[in-house]
Amino acid sequence: MERVLKEEQRRGGEELSGRWTVGGGVADVYGEDRATEDQLVTPWTVSVASGYNLLRDPRHNKGLAFTEKERDVHYLRGLLPPTILSQHLQEKKFMHSLRQYNLPLHKYMSMMELEERNERLFYKLLIDNVEELLPIVYTPTVGEACQKYGSIFRHSQGLYISLNEKGKILEVLKNWPERTIQVIVVTDGERILGLGDLGCQGMGIPVGKLALYTALGGVRPSACLPITIDVGTNNEHLLNDEFYIGLKQKRATGKEYYDFLHEFMSAVKQNYGEKVLVQFEDFANHNAFELLSKYRTTHLVFNDDIQGTASVVLAGLIASLKLLGGTLADHKFLFFGAGEAGTGIAELIALEMSKQANVSVDETRKKIWLVDSKGLIVNSRKESLQHFKKPWAHEHEPVSNLLDAVKAIKPTSLIGTSGVGKTFTKEVVEAMASFNEKPLIMALSNPTSQSECSAEEAYTWTKGRAIFASGSPFDPVEFNGKTFVPGQANNSYIFPGLGFGLVISGAIRVHNDMLLTA
Ligand code: NAI
C-alpha cells in the first residue's frame, strides 16, 4: 500500500513538475480552464487517506494524537506541530473549551464542527460525557439548531433527497460514500419535535439520532445514514427566508408524495438489502401512520415517535409502579395530545395490560382516555375523528378542555403529548394532586419550551408528591429541603438499543413483541 502510494505521489509530482509554465503558474493539468458550461470537465482527486488528506478526513483524522510512528508512516511530518496530545488530553481540552460557551447553540456548532474534523474524538466525547452532551446534540438544542439550520449550515451532513431527484433516487443513494449501511434515520421535516414544519432543516434530527446510535448503541458511524426527504415546506417563514436550504415550494401531498416515498423505500431495499433498518422520524401524523402500516410488512422499519416513545414510556410506567403500587390495570391514564406519541403509547400500554391480565385489547383500552385539540375523545365525535383516534372514543359526555377532563376522568397518570407548552397549568396539576396521593405526571413534549409543565412546577404544585418525567431534561429541584430528581422519558433511551438489537439479530421485520420486550 505504502509503495503504491509513494509511486502514485512520485508520478503525480513528475507529471506536474513537467508542466510548470513560464509565468510561474502551473499548466491546466485538470482541464479547468477549458471547461465550459456545456462541456464539463470531471474533477478528480487521488483519494488515499494519507498526509494532508488524512488530516482532512474526519473518519481517520486523529489530529495531534497521531503518534511519532503514525506521523512517519502516514506522511504527516511537518503537517502538525511537534507535540503529541493523547486522545484523553484532547478530550479534556475540548470539554474545557466547550464549557466556555454560554449559548447551547454555540456548543452544538462546536460539536458538529468536531464531528466534521475528528469523528473518533467526537464519539469519545459523547460516550464519556453523555449526560452533559445529550442536551446539546439532541433535544432541546437540536431543535434550535434545526430552526436556524440555514444560517449555521456549513458542511453538508447526511443525504438530501428532494423532489428534484424524482426517478433518480437509487442513483442518489449510490452517491453516498459508504456502501455498507445498517441504519437509516429518515425525516421529511414536517413535524420537527414540537416545532412544526421545518422542511429541509429537519436534517439536524436524523444527524442527532444517528450520533446516539453510535454513542449509545454502538453502531459504527460509517454504517449510519441520515436522510432528509425534501418535498417542500408549508412554513411561510422558511419559504421567504433567503438562506433557506430546501426546495422553496409548498409540500407535495397525496399521490405525488406517496409515489416519491415509495420510490425511496424501494431504492433503499434495492441498494442496501432486506436487513437495513429504516427509522421514520418526525413525520407529521397524517403521513406517519400510513407509512408505517404500509412498510412494516415489507421492510425493516419502525416509527420512533409512535413506537420508540411507546416503549420508553411503558418502561417508565412499569418502573413507577414500584412507587405507586398495583399493576398497570389498576391505573387510569389520561393523555393530553392524541397524535403519534399519544396514541402510540396508549396502544402499547393497552397491549401490555391485555397480556398481563389475559383480556382483550378492546377491554384494556377502556382504561385509557385521550384529549386532543377539540377536547376529550368520546363516542359522539367518532365520525369526524382521524382513524388512529377512533379506538379511543369511549362512552362519555363531551368535555371541551383538559381541566374538566381531569376532573371528570380522575386519572392516576397524566401524560402530555400535545407539543403545546405550559398546558399543565397549576389548576390541572392541583386537580391531579387532589385525588391522587402520588400523581404521575409526564410532560413529554419537546423541546423544553413545549414541555407541558416544568419539573419545578410539577413538584411545587403537588407539594412534592408528584412522580415526574419529561421528554427534554430538567435539572433536579429543591423543594421543602428535599431534592427531587426528575426522570427523562425520551425515546433516546430505547431506539439505539432497539435498533442495535434489530441489526445484530438480522431481523427483517419489527414486531410489537420486540417493542414490549425493549
Ligand atoms: P402529533 O402532531 O402527531 O400529535 C399532537 C397531538 O396534540 C394531536 O392529537 C393534536 O390534536 C394535539 N394537540 C395539539 N394542540 C393541542 C391543544 N392546544 N390542546 C389539546 N391537544 C392539542 O405530534 P406527536 O408526534 O404525537 O408529538 C407531540 C409532542 O410529543 C411533540 O412535542 C414531540 O416532540 C413530543 N414527543 C416526545 C417524545 C419523547 O420521546 N419524549 C417522542 C415523540 C414525540
Side-chain angles (χ1 to χ4, degrees):
M1 182 67 183
E2 237 173 83
R3 259 197 304 114
V4 174
L5 180 69
K6 278 187 178 157
E7 180 60 18
E8 198 57 43
Q9 287 182 334
R10 189 184 57 73
R11 273 198 281 121
E14 273 172 11
E15 210 165 84
L16 286 176
S17 66
R19 292 178 181 226
W20 292 113
T21 57
V22 182
V26 280
D28 177 27
V29 248
Y30 303 105
E32 280 170 355
D33 295 348
R34 275 171 277 135
T36 65
E37 278 199 10
D38 299 331
Q39 283 187 303
L40 297 176
V41 171
T42 305
W44 59 272
T45 58
V46 178
S47 64
V48 175
S50 138
Y52 191 77
N53 289 340
L54 178 56
L55 296 179
R56 270 147 195 79
D57 179 345
R59 195 138 289 169
H60 304 287
N61 181 27
K62 296 190 201 171
L64 289 176
F66 280 117
T67 62
E68 293 287 354
K69 195 170 168 201
E70 285 170 331
R71 291 175 189 214
D72 277 333
V73 170
H74 300 315
Y75 304 92
L76 294 169
R77 287 271 165 218
L79 301 181
L80 291 164
T83 195
I84 291 169
L85 218 57
S86 67
Q87 191 186 54
H88 176 69
L89 271 180
Q90 284 181 317
E91 184 180 352
K92 192 172 161 192
K93 186 176 139 199
F94 195 92
M95 285 309 291
H96 177 76
S97 63
L98 200 70
R99 288 175 185 138
Q100 309 298 311
Y101 291 116
N102 290 325
L103 295 179
L105 187 65
H106 289 160
K107 295 186 186 186
Y108 176 88
M109 289 164 71
S110 181
M111 284 297 286
M112 290 303 118
E113 191 268 334
L114 177 65
E115 190 180 13
E116 285 149 16
R117 183 161 49 83
N118 186 338
E119 206 174 81
R120 289 156 195 249
L121 187 58
F122 172 82
Y123 285 109
K124 180 84 173 103
L125 237 69
L126 207 49
I127 289 165
D128 290 350
N129 305 278
V130 72
E131 265 187 61
E132 186 174 347
L133 296 180
L134 205 64
I136 303 298
V137 299
Y138 192 63
T139 181
T141 312
V142 71
E144 188 186 354
C146 287
Q147 287 175 310
K148 299 175 180 163
Y149 216 68
S151 43
I152 64 172
F153 180 85
R154 295 205 179 126
H155 289 87
S156 197
Q157 292 172 299
L159 204 56
Y160 293 88
I161 301 179
S162 79
L163 283 176
N164 292 344
E165 280 79 54
K166 199 193 291 183
K168 295 184 271 192
I169 297 182
L170 187 59
E171 288 168 45
V172 178
L173 291 179
K174 290 186 191 296
N175 286 345
W176 186 251
E178 303 293 343
R179 293 281 162 265
T180 314
I181 296 297
Q182 291 176 309
V183 186
I184 290 172
V185 176
V186 61
T187 187
D188 72 354
E190 191 169 2
R191 202 281 286 131
I192 295 298
L193 306 171
L195 302 171
D197 183 352
L198 296 185
C200 200
Q201 302 194 166
M203 182 57 107
I205 297 294
V207 168
K209 293 267 171 183
L210 283 165
L212 303 192
Y213 257 103
T214 298
L216 306 178
V219 180
R220 277 181 298 118
S222 60
C224 297
L225 173 55
I227 296 183
T228 293
I229 304 265
D230 186 354
V231 293
T233 177
N234 295 340
N235 182 327
E236 287 297 332
H237 173 75
L238 292 178
L239 289 172
N240 294 319
D241 179 355
E242 62 176 327
F243 297 125
Y244 179 54
I245 57 172
L247 287 184
K248 288 201 172 181
Q249 65 180 66
K250 292 273 183 197
R251 280 187 177 272
T253 56
K255 187 172 177 336
E256 187 183 11
Y257 177 86
Y258 281 101
D259 284 353
F260 193 59
L261 266 288
H262 192 68
E263 184 191 343
F264 168 71
M265 292 303 290
S266 308
V268 160
K269 198 159 153 183
Q270 191 177 341
N271 205 39
Y272 301 117
E274 185 96 10
K275 291 181 182 170
V276 65
L277 171 63
V278 179
Q279 175 170 325
F280 290 123
E281 199 68 57
D282 287 6
F283 283 76
N285 64 37
H286 49 255
N287 293 321
F289 288 100
E290 184 132 357
L291 290 172
L292 181 62
S293 75
K294 186 164 176 193
Y295 293 107
R296 70 188 305 175
T297 53
T298 55
H299 289 64
L300 182 67
V301 294
F302 74 98
N303 182 304
D304 194 31
D305 303 299
I306 301 171
Q307 298 167 289
T309 316
S311 277
V312 83
V313 173
L314 179 58
L317 292 173
I318 292 170
S320 67
L321 291 178
K322 288 181 196 153
L323 299 168
L324 294 168
T327 64
L328 279 178
D330 297 324
H331 289 270
K332 208 192 269 183
F333 302 89
L334 180 67
F335 284 80
F336 183 63
E340 296 171 61
T343 60
I345 302 164
E347 190 64 29
L348 205 66
I349 297 174
L351 191 63
E352 176 65 12
M353 280 201 273
S354 91
K355 291 209 170 207
Q356 282 181 4
N358 206 15
V359 290
S360 72
V361 173
D362 278 345
E363 203 50 42
T364 55
R365 281 193 188 122
K366 291 181 183 156
K367 298 257 174 190
I368 304 172
W369 296 79
L370 289 91
V371 170
D372 68 5
S373 54
K374 298 195 175 64
L376 191 64
I377 295 183
V378 290
N379 258 337
S380 55
R381 293 180 52 197
K382 203 160 187 174
E383 285 311 305
S384 61
L385 289 172
Q386 286 164 285
H387 67 93
F388 52 86
K389 293 180 183 174
K390 286 188 197 287
W392 307 102
H394 306 319
E395 202 47 60
H396 198 286
E397 65 201 37
V399 180
S400 63
N401 64 66
L402 178 62
L403 181 59
D404 289 344
V406 167
K407 288 178 180 168
I409 303 298
K410 294 196 171 31
T412 55
S413 307
L414 178 64
I415 304 177
T417 49
S418 62
V420 189
K422 310 216 178 300
T423 36
F424 289 176
T425 57
K426 189 161 185 271
E427 291 72 32
V428 166
V429 174
E430 282 178 349
M432 282 295 291
S434 70
F435 46 79
N436 286 300
E437 176 54 31
K438 291 180 182 166
L440 180 77
I441 295 174
M442 291 190 170
L444 299 182
S445 292
N446 296 318
T448 317
S449 58
Q450 311 309 110
S451 190
E452 282 80 5
C453 68
S454 69
E456 188 174 5
E457 289 166 341
Y459 293 124
T460 313
W461 293 338
T462 60
K463 305 207 168 21
R465 285 189 284 126
I467 297 170
F468 178 79
S470 55
S472 298
F474 281 103
D475 288 334
V477 174
E478 297 289 330
F479 181 77
N480 272 355
K482 242 177 119 180
T483 305
F484 293 87
V485 183
Q488 190 182 357
N490 192 292
N491 50 32
S492 63
Y493 285 85
I494 285 285
F495 74 76
L498 175 68
F500 185 58
L502 291 167
V503 167
I504 59 169
S505 65
I508 56 167
R509 301 288 177 268
V510 181
H511 299 292
N512 279 340
D513 278 352
M514 297 172 176
L515 295 153
L516 281 178
T517 307

